[in-house]
Structure formats: C-alpha cells, structure tokens
C-alpha cells in the first residue's frame, strides 16, 4: 500500500503473512511455522532534495516444533539521504 501525501511526502505499508502446515512426522524444525511481517515507512523530501524517513517494523516468527527459533522484534529506524 502506497500513499503520496503531497508533493514530497510518502507513506508505504507492507504486510506479509507466511505459514507452513505440513504433516511433519519427524518433527523437523521449519515444518510448521507462522510468520507475520509488517513494515511502515514514512518519507519526506526536503526542498534541497534531501530526504528523511522513519521506519517501524514489528515482526513475529513462530515455529511450533522448535520454539528456540521463535522471535518477536520491532525495528524503529530513522533514515536520511542527500545528493552530493
């Protein structure tokens, strides 16, 4: 999902939902998993051509067999770019 809010402001949202549902009789890792990845990005272009941005990304991964692989994490990132 992309949205242009004016001449230099952008908002992007992405969501990915993955899962595997196998018989997995030998109980191998990665046989039954769920992943949910959401990323929200906001960018603003300044008058001199430079750009600043903010990213927020909470991600979740679950493995029903090998739970040591599970994680819940969030990333908050401030970005910047300029031309030279």
């Amino acid at each position: 999902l992309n949205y242009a809010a004016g001449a230099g402001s952008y908002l992007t949202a992405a969501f990915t939902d993955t899962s595997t549902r196998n018989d997995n009789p030998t109980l191998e890792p990665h046989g039954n998993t769920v992943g949910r990845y959401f990323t929200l990005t906001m960018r603003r272009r300044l008058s001199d051509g430079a750009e600043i941005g903010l990213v927020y990304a909470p991600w979740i991964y679950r493995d029903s067999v090998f739970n040591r692989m599970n994680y819940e994490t969030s990333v908050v990132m401030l970005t910047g770019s300029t031309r030279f």
Side-chain angles (χ1 to χ4, degrees):
L1 176 67
N2 294 311
Y3 177 70
S9 298
Y10 306 95
L11 178 67
T12 303
F15 179 71
T16 303
D17 184 28
T18 64
S19 64
T20 56
R21 300 279 187 250
N22 300 321
D23 290 339
N24 201 13
T26 58
L27 297 176
E28 294 187 23
H30 305 299
N32 299 92
T33 62
V34 173
R36 291 189 177 94
Y37 310 100
F38 177 73
T39 304
L40 180 65
T41 305
M42 295 174 282
R43 295 185 345 235
R44 175 74 179 145
R45 183 172 296 139
L46 304 174
S47 59
D48 63 354
E51 193 172 276
I52 58 173
L54 179 65
V55 177
Y56 174 62
W59 292 355
I60 297 171
Y61 178 85
R62 295 277 180 261
D63 187 325
S64 64
V65 174
F66 192 59
N67 64 5
R68 291 174 65 189
M69 299 292 289
N70 296 351
Y71 64 84
E72 285 188 36
T73 188
S74 292
V75 174
V76 177
M77 179 173 43
L78 182 62
T79 64
S81 64
T82 188
R83 298 176 190 206
F84 56 93

